[in-house]
Amino acid sequence: MSINTIHDVEFGVELPVFEPDTSLANVGAFARAVGWGGARFESHEGAREEGFPGALVPGIMGMGFLTSAIHQWAPSGQVKHVDTVFRAPMLADTPAIISAVVTDIDEDEGIVELDMTVKNTKDETRVFGTAKVRLPLS
Amino acid sequence: MVDLDELKGRFLNTEFASRDLQLQAEKLVTAAKASGESRSEFIDSSDENFQATPAYLCSISSGQHLPIDFPSLGGIPMDGGKAVERFAPVKPDVPMTVKAHLHDIYDKKGRSGRMIFIVVRTELFDATNTHLANIDSRLVVREKPDS
C-alpha cells in the first residue's frame, strides 16, 4: 500500500522488504562519491590486507538503504531525523535485507516513527536504527 | 579511569573545528542512486527541489575528529553510528559552513570493561546562517584498563 498521508499509516505495520545492491561496483561508486574511495570499500583483497574479512559497505550507505526504503514506502514523506548504530560490518557482494516497522504515529504533527534494521542472510543485524518521518496531514 | 565529568566540563559544546564547503550535484546523484534512491529530488539534478540525501550528509565532516587537546583514552576510536537531523534542504553549489563540537560523552560498562562514547555534532549552515542540519557521529573507544 502506498502511503500518502499520516492517516494511511497503521501502527505496527512492516514496510515492504527492500533488498539493496551491495555489489562491489556499487559500493565503490558510493564510497567514491562521498569521498571515501580506497581499498577498504573497493577491493576485497585490499580490505583483507587491512584486516577485514572483505570489502566493507560504508555504514552510512546502510543508512542510505534505510532511507531509500522509507522513500519508496512513503513517496511524500520527509525523513526529518534518522539515527543508525553500526553494530557489525556489512560486506560488499553479500546480500542485505532491509526491514522496518512503524512504532509510533503522531497524527497531530504528522510524524511517524520507525524501527529499522539491516540484516544479512544469516539473520544477523549489521545496522539498526530509528527514523522520524513527516507525512502530509491530508 | 578517565573522569567523564571532567572531560565534559572541558570539552562539551565548545567549537573545535570549522570549514567552508560546497557539495557537487554529480556526487549527490551517484551516492543517491547507489543507495537505491528513486525519488527525483535526490537523483535528478534538474529537479527544482534537488538536494542531498540524509546519508550523504553524514559523510560531511569538519575535517577534524576530536579537539586537538582531547586526551587519549587508550584505544582507537571506532565509528559507532551516525545520526542526522534535517531542518532545510541541503543543495549543491551553495556555499556552506560546517562547525563541530562535542555534544555528549557517556559510558557503558560491561564484563570486558568500559566503553566510552563520544558524540561529535557537526552543524551545517548556509551563507545566511540558516541552520540546515545536524550530523552526529558516535565514536566508541574501549578504555584501556589501568595497569
Side-chain angles (χ1 to χ4, degrees), chain A residues 83-107:
Chain A
D83 189 349
T84 48
V85 175
F86 305 151
R87 185 173 184 183
M90 295 170 61
L91 298 180
D93 288 329
T94 301
I97 299 159
I98 310 295
S99 58
V101 61
V102 175
T103 57
D104 196 23
I105 304 169
D106 183 337
E107 293 201 339

Side-chain angles (χ1 to χ4, degrees), chain A residues 18 26 29-30 33-34 36 60-61 63-65 67-68 71-72 74-86, chain B residues 27 30-39 41-42 51 54-56 58-59 79-87 138:
Chain A
F18 179 78
N26 195 49
F30 179 92
V34 300
W36 295 0
I60 63 168
M61 191 174 189
M63 178 194 280
F65 296 153
T67 55
S68 294
H71 290 153
Q72 286 194 9
S76 56
Q78 295 292 330
V79 177
K80 305 307 291 182
H81 185 263
V82 56
D83 189 349
T84 48
V85 175
F86 305 151
Chain B
K27 291 182 176 177
T30 299
K33 286 183 174 176
S35 302
E37 190 56 66
S38 55
R39 268 206 213 164
E41 68 201 74
F42 299 115
Q51 60 185 280
Y56 194 96
C58 287
S59 71
D79 188 356
K82 294 195 188 296
V84 59
E85 186 174 17
R86 302 159 74 210
F87 306 118
R138 263 187 306 274

Side-chain angles (χ1 to χ4, degrees), chain A residues 100-121:
Chain A
V101 61
V102 175
T103 57
D104 196 23
I105 304 169
D106 183 337
E107 293 201 339
D108 295 330
E109 296 294 327
I111 299 288
V112 172
E113 292 190 24
L114 304 168
D115 278 1
M116 307 175 297
T117 58
V118 181
K119 292 184 177 181
N120 61 18
T121 51

